[in-house]
Amino acid sequence: MPLTPEEPQIYESVPGTRASAGASRTPQAPRPAAPIPGPRPVPRPAPPRTDSKGPNTPGRPGAPSRGNSPDQQSKPAAPAAGTAQIQLVAATEATAVEVADDTVDKLLDDGRAPGEILVLTTGAQHPWAEHELSFGEDAYWRQLGDAEDVFCAHTSSVSRTAQRPIVLLAVNGGTDPEVAAALPAALEKATEQLIVCGDPERLRALL
């Protein structure tokens, strides 16, 4: 019996039973939306530097401190030049020259040079001055310029004397106005120290 060729079978597609390849897949979760560009947060400023390299930091040369302008900054006061210390040594008019001589000996023992000391008297001349003046005023005043020894003079001629580091004022006489005028004159001649030998109460009142 002859075999008849098998007819090709035709499959009919049923609506709704066949899905597209893309539809048959499991739907994926939606991706998160990309962030929208916006203003970035402003970074916090760094704390001020405390070293000398930071701008306008205290202690940097040329940078004024806060709250003070360069004109308002205080400047150290310059010390007064030529101001000598004043020391009072108790003595009477009769002993003032002797006390001054003893003080000179102590200064020399401490290492002061004789040419650094000047002795002034308010009453009678110092015995050394009387002795040297007996040879003439020229020779007497020449010793002041040589500055090799202790020089003694009367306060009436204090303007002719030169400045020396230490001046001793022996109050061995004179009125209160004369002694009061001799004190600043003797202080002007002292560059380091003025030693006044006399009555402490009287001297404090005059000073």
Side-chain angles (χ1 to χ4, degrees):
M1 181 173 183
L3 297 174
T4 59
E6 185 176 355
E7 295 181 358
Q9 297 179 358
I10 302 174
Y11 296 95
E12 295 181 358
S13 60
V14 179
T17 59
R18 186 179 180 182
S20 62
S24 62
R25 297 176 181 177
T26 304
Q28 298 179 358
R31 294 181 179 180
I36 301 174
R40 296 182 179 181
V42 179
R44 298 180 62 184
R49 299 177 63 176
T50 57
D51 57 356
S52 61
K53 297 181 180 179
N56 295 334
T57 53
R60 183 185 179 190
S65 58
R66 293 184 177 180
N68 292 331
S69 62
D71 296 337
Q72 293 175 344
Q73 294 179 357
S74 60
K75 297 181 181 179
T83 301
Q85 297 180 350
I86 301 177
Q87 178 182 354
L88 300 181
V89 179
T92 63
E93 289 189 0
T95 61
V97 173
E98 181 181 355
V99 171
D101 290 341
D102 292 340
T103 305
V104 170
D105 291 339
K106 292 179 182 178
L107 292 171
L108 297 177
D109 292 339
D110 292 339
R112 303 303 302 229
E116 297 179 334
I117 302 173
L118 172 66
V119 179
L120 300 175
T121 56
T122 60
Q125 284 276 15
H126 191 281
W128 178 91
E130 289 183 352
H131 177 267
E132 296 299 325
L133 283 171
S134 63
F135 298 100
E137 289 194 5
D138 292 340
Y140 167 75
W141 289 109
R142 190 181 303 117
Q143 297 184 57
L144 176 65
D146 294 340
E148 296 178 354
D149 200 353
V150 178
F151 193 82
C152 302
H154 193 269
T155 53
S156 59
S157 57
V158 66
S159 59
R160 298 187 61 178
T161 61
Q163 285 187 324
R164 289 196 174 185
I166 301 177
V167 175
L168 289 93
L169 178 62
V171 184
N172 61 337
T175 63
D176 286 350
E178 291 173 345
V179 175
L183 288 170
L187 181 60
E188 184 180 356
K189 297 298 180 178
T191 59
E192 295 181 13
Q193 188 177 13
L194 171 63
I195 302 175
V196 184
C197 304
D199 183 5
E201 295 184 1
R202 180 188 182 190
L203 295 175
R204 289 192 184 96
L206 297 176
L207 287 173

